[in-house]
Short mmCIF file of all heavy atoms in Angstrom, two decimals:
data_model
loop_
_atom_site.label_atom_id
_atom_site.label_comp_id
_atom_site.label_asym_id
_atom_site.label_seq_id
_atom_site.Cartn_x
_atom_site.Cartn_y
_atom_site.Cartn_z
N LYS A 1085 6.23 -15.63 -10.71
CA LYS A 1085 5.12 -14.66 -10.40
C LYS A 1085 5.52 -13.43 -11.23
O LYS A 1085 6.64 -12.97 -11.23
CB LYS A 1085 5.02 -14.26 -8.97
CG LYS A 1085 4.56 -15.39 -8.15
CD LYS A 1085 4.20 -14.84 -6.72
CE LYS A 1085 4.80 -15.62 -5.65
NZ LYS A 1085 5.68 -15.25 -4.64
N ARG A 1087 4.10 -9.42 -13.20
CA ARG A 1087 3.10 -8.39 -13.24
C ARG A 1087 3.47 -7.49 -14.30
O ARG A 1087 4.70 -7.07 -14.42
CB ARG A 1087 3.10 -7.68 -11.92
CG ARG A 1087 2.00 -6.54 -11.90
CD ARG A 1087 1.75 -6.02 -10.59
NE ARG A 1087 1.06 -4.75 -10.71
CZ ARG A 1087 1.34 -3.66 -9.91
NH1 ARG A 1087 2.24 -3.70 -9.08
NH2 ARG A 1087 0.62 -2.55 -10.13
N TYR A 1091 4.70 0.93 -13.87
CA TYR A 1091 4.80 2.38 -13.82
C TYR A 1091 4.23 2.90 -15.10
O TYR A 1091 4.12 2.08 -16.09
CB TYR A 1091 6.32 2.83 -13.81
CG TYR A 1091 7.05 2.20 -12.66
CD1 TYR A 1091 8.06 1.24 -12.75
CD2 TYR A 1091 6.77 2.59 -11.37
CE1 TYR A 1091 8.65 0.72 -11.75
CE2 TYR A 1091 7.43 2.14 -10.22
CZ TYR A 1091 8.41 1.16 -10.52
OH TYR A 1091 9.05 0.64 -9.36
N ASP A 1092 3.75 4.12 -15.18
CA ASP A 1092 3.22 4.59 -16.44
C ASP A 1092 4.03 5.58 -17.09
O ASP A 1092 3.71 6.06 -18.21
CB ASP A 1092 1.75 5.16 -16.23
CG ASP A 1092 1.67 6.17 -15.14
OD1 ASP A 1092 2.83 6.53 -14.72
OD2 ASP A 1092 0.67 6.65 -14.76
N ARG A 1093 5.19 6.08 -16.50
CA ARG A 1093 6.05 6.92 -17.21
C ARG A 1093 6.71 6.21 -18.41
O ARG A 1093 6.64 6.59 -19.50
CB ARG A 1093 7.14 7.58 -16.31
CG ARG A 1093 8.10 8.37 -17.02
CD ARG A 1093 9.42 8.55 -16.28
NE ARG A 1093 9.19 9.42 -15.06
CZ ARG A 1093 9.36 10.68 -15.02
NH1 ARG A 1093 9.69 11.32 -16.12
NH2 ARG A 1093 9.19 11.35 -13.97
N LEU A 1108 13.09 -6.23 -12.42
CA LEU A 1108 12.24 -5.22 -12.80
C LEU A 1108 12.73 -4.69 -14.12
O LEU A 1108 13.96 -4.52 -14.37
CB LEU A 1108 12.35 -4.10 -11.84
CG LEU A 1108 11.27 -2.97 -11.72
CD1 LEU A 1108 10.02 -3.51 -11.27
CD2 LEU A 1108 11.80 -1.88 -10.71
N TYR A 1112 11.61 2.06 -22.83
CA TYR A 1112 11.21 3.41 -23.33
C TYR A 1112 11.41 3.28 -24.88
O TYR A 1112 12.47 2.86 -25.40
CB TYR A 1112 12.18 4.49 -22.77
CG TYR A 1112 11.96 4.88 -21.38
CD1 TYR A 1112 12.56 4.17 -20.34
CD2 TYR A 1112 11.18 5.91 -21.03
CE1 TYR A 1112 12.28 4.46 -19.03
CE2 TYR A 1112 10.87 6.33 -19.83
CZ TYR A 1112 11.43 5.58 -18.81
OH TYR A 1112 11.24 5.93 -17.46
N ARG A 1118 18.91 9.23 -29.71
CA ARG A 1118 19.49 10.35 -28.84
C ARG A 1118 20.76 10.75 -29.58
O ARG A 1118 20.93 11.99 -29.84
CB ARG A 1118 19.84 9.81 -27.52
CG ARG A 1118 18.67 10.04 -26.52
CD ARG A 1118 19.19 10.05 -25.09
NE ARG A 1118 19.84 8.84 -24.69
CZ ARG A 1118 19.19 7.76 -24.36
NH1 ARG A 1118 17.87 7.77 -24.26
NH2 ARG A 1118 19.82 6.68 -24.02
N GLU A 1133 20.41 -1.63 -20.83
CA GLU A 1133 21.33 -1.29 -19.66
C GLU A 1133 20.80 -2.09 -18.50
O GLU A 1133 19.59 -1.99 -18.19
CB GLU A 1133 21.34 0.17 -19.35
CG GLU A 1133 22.46 0.45 -18.39
CD GLU A 1133 22.37 1.93 -17.97
OE1 GLU A 1133 22.73 2.76 -18.83
OE2 GLU A 1133 21.94 2.22 -16.81
N ILE A 1137 20.86 -3.72 -7.70
CA ILE A 1137 20.86 -2.82 -6.51
C ILE A 1137 21.91 -3.49 -5.59
O ILE A 1137 22.34 -4.60 -5.70
CB ILE A 1137 19.39 -2.87 -5.83
CG1 ILE A 1137 19.11 -4.27 -5.26
CG2 ILE A 1137 18.40 -2.45 -6.74
CD1 ILE A 1137 17.91 -4.26 -4.29
N ALA A 1138 22.28 -2.63 -4.55
CA ALA A 1138 23.47 -3.01 -3.80
C ALA A 1138 23.20 -4.37 -3.01
O ALA A 1138 24.14 -5.17 -2.89
CB ALA A 1138 23.78 -1.86 -2.76
N ALA A 1139 21.96 -4.50 -2.58
CA ALA A 1139 21.69 -5.64 -1.72
C ALA A 1139 21.16 -6.87 -2.49
O ALA A 1139 20.37 -7.59 -1.91
CB ALA A 1139 20.70 -5.21 -0.60
N GLY A 1142 24.17 -11.95 -1.69
CA GLY A 1142 24.60 -12.09 -0.30
C GLY A 1142 25.50 -10.97 0.09
O GLY A 1142 25.19 -10.14 0.94
N ARG A 1144 27.38 -7.25 -0.43
CA ARG A 1144 26.96 -6.04 -1.03
C ARG A 1144 27.66 -5.74 -2.33
O ARG A 1144 28.89 -5.95 -2.40
CB ARG A 1144 27.25 -4.83 0.02
CG ARG A 1144 26.83 -3.51 -0.49
CD ARG A 1144 26.94 -2.42 0.62
NE ARG A 1144 26.64 -1.18 -0.02
CZ ARG A 1144 27.36 -0.39 -0.74
NH1 ARG A 1144 28.65 -0.84 -0.90
NH2 ARG A 1144 26.99 0.70 -1.22
N ARG A 1146 29.37 -3.55 -4.86
CA ARG A 1146 29.97 -2.23 -4.77
C ARG A 1146 29.37 -1.24 -5.84
O ARG A 1146 28.85 -0.20 -5.57
CB ARG A 1146 31.46 -2.26 -5.01
CG ARG A 1146 32.28 -2.86 -3.83
CD ARG A 1146 32.54 -1.76 -2.82
NE ARG A 1146 33.04 -2.32 -1.61
CZ ARG A 1146 32.26 -2.83 -0.59
NH1 ARG A 1146 30.98 -2.75 -0.76
NH2 ARG A 1146 32.75 -3.30 0.54
N ALA A 1148 26.80 -0.62 -9.12
CA ALA A 1148 25.64 -1.13 -9.77
C ALA A 1148 25.91 -1.58 -11.13
O ALA A 1148 25.38 -2.65 -11.61
CB ALA A 1148 24.55 -0.01 -9.81
N ARG A 1149 26.74 -0.90 -11.88
CA ARG A 1149 26.99 -1.26 -13.26
C ARG A 1149 28.49 -1.59 -13.31
O ARG A 1149 29.35 -0.67 -13.26
CB ARG A 1149 26.64 -0.15 -14.24
CG ARG A 1149 25.14 0.02 -14.40
CD ARG A 1149 24.86 1.27 -15.20
NE ARG A 1149 24.91 2.51 -14.42
CZ ARG A 1149 23.87 2.97 -13.79
NH1 ARG A 1149 22.73 2.30 -13.78
NH2 ARG A 1149 23.94 4.15 -13.10
N TYR A 1181 15.56 -1.13 -19.98
CA TYR A 1181 16.43 -0.99 -18.71
C TYR A 1181 15.97 -2.04 -17.78
O TYR A 1181 14.77 -2.30 -17.53
CB TYR A 1181 16.15 0.38 -18.03
CG TYR A 1181 16.52 1.52 -18.93
CD1 TYR A 1181 15.60 2.48 -19.39
CD2 TYR A 1181 17.80 1.67 -19.43
CE1 TYR A 1181 15.96 3.53 -20.12
CE2 TYR A 1181 18.21 2.72 -20.26
CZ TYR A 1181 17.25 3.63 -20.63
OH TYR A 1181 17.59 4.63 -21.51
N GLN A 1183 16.56 -3.94 -14.06
CA GLN A 1183 17.02 -3.68 -12.62
C GLN A 1183 16.89 -4.97 -11.79
O GLN A 1183 15.80 -5.46 -11.69
CB GLN A 1183 16.17 -2.58 -12.04
CG GLN A 1183 16.56 -2.11 -10.65
CD GLN A 1183 17.55 -1.08 -10.74
OE1 GLN A 1183 17.75 -0.42 -11.84
NE2 GLN A 1183 18.27 -0.75 -9.69
N LEU A 1185 16.65 -6.88 -8.55
CA LEU A 1185 16.34 -6.54 -7.18
C LEU A 1185 16.91 -7.66 -6.30
O LEU A 1185 17.39 -7.41 -5.11
CB LEU A 1185 14.92 -6.41 -6.92
CG LEU A 1185 14.11 -5.34 -7.79
CD1 LEU A 1185 12.73 -5.21 -7.39
CD2 LEU A 1185 14.90 -3.97 -7.51
N GLN A 1186 16.92 -8.92 -6.80
CA GLN A 1186 17.43 -9.94 -5.95
C GLN A 1186 17.99 -11.04 -6.92
O GLN A 1186 17.42 -11.31 -7.98
CB GLN A 1186 16.39 -10.55 -5.09
CG GLN A 1186 16.89 -11.28 -3.83
CD GLN A 1186 15.88 -11.65 -2.82
OE1 GLN A 1186 14.77 -11.12 -2.78
NE2 GLN A 1186 16.12 -12.87 -2.18
N SER C 913 14.76 -9.83 1.14
CA SER C 913 15.24 -10.81 2.14
C SER C 913 16.74 -10.84 2.21
O SER C 913 17.26 -11.22 3.27
CB SER C 913 14.68 -12.20 1.80
OG SER C 913 15.13 -12.48 0.46
N THR C 914 17.49 -10.42 1.17
CA THR C 914 18.94 -10.53 1.29
C THR C 914 19.55 -9.32 2.07
O THR C 914 20.77 -9.25 2.23
CB THR C 914 19.53 -10.52 -0.19
OG1 THR C 914 19.09 -9.31 -0.77
CG2 THR C 914 19.17 -11.74 -0.91
N ARG C 925 3.38 8.77 -7.39
CA ARG C 925 4.16 8.08 -8.41
C ARG C 925 5.63 7.95 -8.11
O ARG C 925 6.39 7.07 -8.75
CB ARG C 925 3.97 8.75 -9.79
CG ARG C 925 3.50 7.73 -10.92
CD ARG C 925 2.94 8.53 -12.15
NE ARG C 925 3.45 9.81 -12.32
CZ ARG C 925 4.63 10.06 -13.03
NH1 ARG C 925 5.27 8.99 -13.48
NH2 ARG C 925 5.10 11.22 -13.23
N ASP C 927 8.75 6.45 -6.45
CA ASP C 927 8.92 5.06 -5.94
C ASP C 927 10.41 4.88 -5.52
O ASP C 927 11.28 5.13 -6.32
CB ASP C 927 8.59 4.13 -7.06
CG ASP C 927 8.43 2.65 -6.46
OD1 ASP C 927 8.88 2.52 -5.29
OD2 ASP C 927 7.81 1.83 -7.09
N LYS C 933 22.54 -2.79 4.76
CA LYS C 933 23.36 -4.02 5.01
C LYS C 933 24.41 -3.68 5.92
O LYS C 933 24.95 -2.59 5.86
CB LYS C 933 23.88 -4.50 3.57
CG LYS C 933 23.03 -5.39 2.91
CD LYS C 933 23.61 -5.97 1.60
CE LYS C 933 24.38 -7.26 1.83
NZ LYS C 933 23.56 -8.44 2.19
N GLU C 935 28.21 -4.33 7.66
CA GLU C 935 29.50 -5.01 7.48
C GLU C 935 30.35 -4.59 8.64
O GLU C 935 30.15 -3.58 9.38
CB GLU C 935 30.14 -4.49 6.16
CG GLU C 935 29.64 -5.44 4.95
CD GLU C 935 30.19 -4.97 3.64
OE1 GLU C 935 31.18 -4.12 3.68
OE2 GLU C 935 29.66 -5.30 2.62
N PHE C 952 24.36 5.63 0.07
CA PHE C 952 24.66 5.65 -1.38
C PHE C 952 23.33 5.76 -2.11
O PHE C 952 22.34 5.15 -1.81
CB PHE C 952 25.38 4.33 -1.76
CG PHE C 952 26.65 4.24 -1.17
CD1 PHE C 952 26.93 3.55 0.06
CD2 PHE C 952 27.82 4.76 -1.80
CE1 PHE C 952 28.18 3.42 0.55
CE2 PHE C 952 29.07 4.67 -1.28
CZ PHE C 952 29.28 3.91 -0.10
N SER C 956 18.23 4.72 -10.93
CA SER C 956 18.11 3.74 -11.95
C SER C 956 17.52 4.27 -13.20
O SER C 956 16.77 5.31 -13.11
CB SER C 956 17.36 2.50 -11.48
OG SER C 956 16.07 2.60 -12.16
N ALA C 957 17.92 3.77 -14.37
CA ALA C 957 17.41 4.31 -15.64
C ALA C 957 15.91 4.09 -15.80
O ALA C 957 15.28 4.70 -16.56
CB ALA C 957 18.15 3.78 -16.78
N ASN C 958 15.37 3.15 -14.93
CA ASN C 958 13.87 3.00 -14.98
C ASN C 958 13.19 4.32 -14.80
O ASN C 958 12.20 4.58 -15.40
CB ASN C 958 13.43 2.09 -13.88
CG ASN C 958 14.04 0.59 -14.11
OD1 ASN C 958 14.78 0.45 -15.09
ND2 ASN C 958 13.69 -0.32 -13.29
N ALA C 959 13.72 5.15 -13.88
CA ALA C 959 13.03 6.28 -13.49
C ALA C 959 12.94 7.19 -14.67
O ALA C 959 11.87 7.78 -14.98
CB ALA C 959 13.77 6.98 -12.31
N PRO C 961 15.00 7.99 -18.69
CA PRO C 961 16.10 7.74 -19.56
C PRO C 961 17.28 8.63 -19.37
O PRO C 961 18.39 8.22 -19.55
CB PRO C 961 15.48 7.87 -21.00
CG PRO C 961 14.10 8.22 -20.90
CD PRO C 961 13.75 8.29 -19.45
N GLU C 964 20.28 7.30 -17.54
CA GLU C 964 21.14 6.18 -17.97
C GLU C 964 22.66 6.60 -17.90
O GLU C 964 22.98 7.81 -17.99
CB GLU C 964 20.73 5.97 -19.46
CG GLU C 964 21.46 4.75 -20.06
CD GLU C 964 21.19 4.59 -21.52
OE1 GLU C 964 20.26 5.18 -22.04
OE2 GLU C 964 22.05 3.94 -22.16
N GLY C 965 23.50 5.56 -17.64
CA GLY C 965 24.87 5.86 -17.51
C GLY C 965 25.19 6.84 -16.39
O GLY C 965 24.66 6.61 -15.28
N TYR C 1006 25.53 0.14 5.51
CA TYR C 1006 25.48 0.68 4.23
C TYR C 1006 24.05 0.88 3.88
O TYR C 1006 23.32 -0.12 3.72
CB TYR C 1006 26.15 -0.24 3.19
CG TYR C 1006 27.69 -0.23 3.28
CD1 TYR C 1006 28.29 -1.15 4.08
CD2 TYR C 1006 28.42 0.74 2.66
CE1 TYR C 1006 29.71 -1.16 4.21
CE2 TYR C 1006 29.87 0.78 2.79
CZ TYR C 1006 30.46 -0.25 3.52
OH TYR C 1006 31.83 -0.17 3.65
N ASP C 1008 21.61 1.82 1.10
CA ASP C 1008 21.55 2.05 -0.39
C ASP C 1008 20.11 2.48 -0.78
O ASP C 1008 19.14 1.80 -0.42
CB ASP C 1008 21.97 0.80 -1.11
CG ASP C 1008 23.36 0.53 -0.88
OD1 ASP C 1008 24.22 1.15 -1.60
OD2 ASP C 1008 23.73 -0.36 -0.02
N GLU C 1010 17.63 3.43 -3.71
CA GLU C 1010 17.39 3.17 -5.26
C GLU C 1010 16.22 3.85 -5.61
O GLU C 1010 15.16 3.67 -5.13
CB GLU C 1010 17.19 1.61 -5.33
CG GLU C 1010 17.28 1.06 -6.76
CD GLU C 1010 18.71 1.07 -7.24
OE1 GLU C 1010 19.65 0.82 -6.50
OE2 GLU C 1010 18.99 1.45 -8.39
N LEU C 1012 13.42 4.31 -8.14
CA LEU C 1012 12.85 3.52 -9.19
C LEU C 1012 11.91 4.43 -10.06
O LEU C 1012 11.73 4.25 -11.22
CB LEU C 1012 11.99 2.34 -8.59
CG LEU C 1012 12.87 1.42 -7.87
CD1 LEU C 1012 12.06 0.28 -7.20
CD2 LEU C 1012 13.89 0.73 -8.81
N ASP C 1013 11.32 5.44 -9.42
CA ASP C 1013 10.48 6.39 -10.26
C ASP C 1013 10.38 7.72 -9.53
O ASP C 1013 10.33 7.67 -8.34
CB ASP C 1013 9.10 5.83 -10.45
CG ASP C 1013 8.36 6.60 -11.57
OD1 ASP C 1013 9.00 7.52 -12.18
OD2 ASP C 1013 7.20 6.16 -11.92
N CYS C 1014 10.58 8.82 -10.25
CA CYS C 1014 10.59 10.11 -9.48
C CYS C 1014 9.51 11.06 -10.01
O CYS C 1014 9.51 11.29 -11.23
CB CYS C 1014 11.99 10.77 -9.52
SG CYS C 1014 12.65 11.10 -11.14
N PHE C 1159 6.49 -6.00 -5.25
CA PHE C 1159 6.13 -5.32 -6.41
C PHE C 1159 4.97 -5.95 -7.15
O PHE C 1159 4.62 -5.56 -8.23
CB PHE C 1159 7.37 -5.28 -7.38
CG PHE C 1159 8.35 -4.30 -6.96
CD1 PHE C 1159 9.35 -4.81 -6.04
CD2 PHE C 1159 8.50 -3.03 -7.42
CE1 PHE C 1159 10.40 -3.86 -5.55
CE2 PHE C 1159 9.49 -2.19 -6.90
CZ PHE C 1159 10.43 -2.60 -6.01
N LEU C 1160 4.36 -7.02 -6.50
CA LEU C 1160 3.30 -7.71 -7.25
C LEU C 1160 1.97 -7.09 -7.09
O LEU C 1160 1.77 -6.32 -6.13
CB LEU C 1160 3.25 -9.17 -6.68
CG LEU C 1160 4.38 -9.95 -7.19
CD1 LEU C 1160 4.46 -11.37 -6.52
CD2 LEU C 1160 4.37 -10.14 -8.69
#
Side-chain angles (χ1 to χ4, degrees):
Chain A
K1085 292 193 227 121
R1087 176 170 166 221
Y1091 305 110
D1092 52 7
R1093 176 201 292 268
L1108 195 66
Y1112 284 88
R1118 272 202 298 278
E1133 191 185 289
I1137 66 167
R1144 181 174 177 276
R1146 283 279 168 275
R1149 286 175 277 273
Y1181 299 120
Q1183 184 87 14
L1185 301 184
Q1186 201 171 333
Chain C
S913 52
T914 54
R925 233 165 27 89
D927 193 341
K933 269 184 94 66
E935 274 178 15
F952 293 93
S956 105
N958 295 2
E964 187 186 340
Y1006 287 93
D1008 289 283
E1010 194 70 39
L1012 298 175
D1013 197 355
C1014 58
F1159 288 83
L1160 287 174

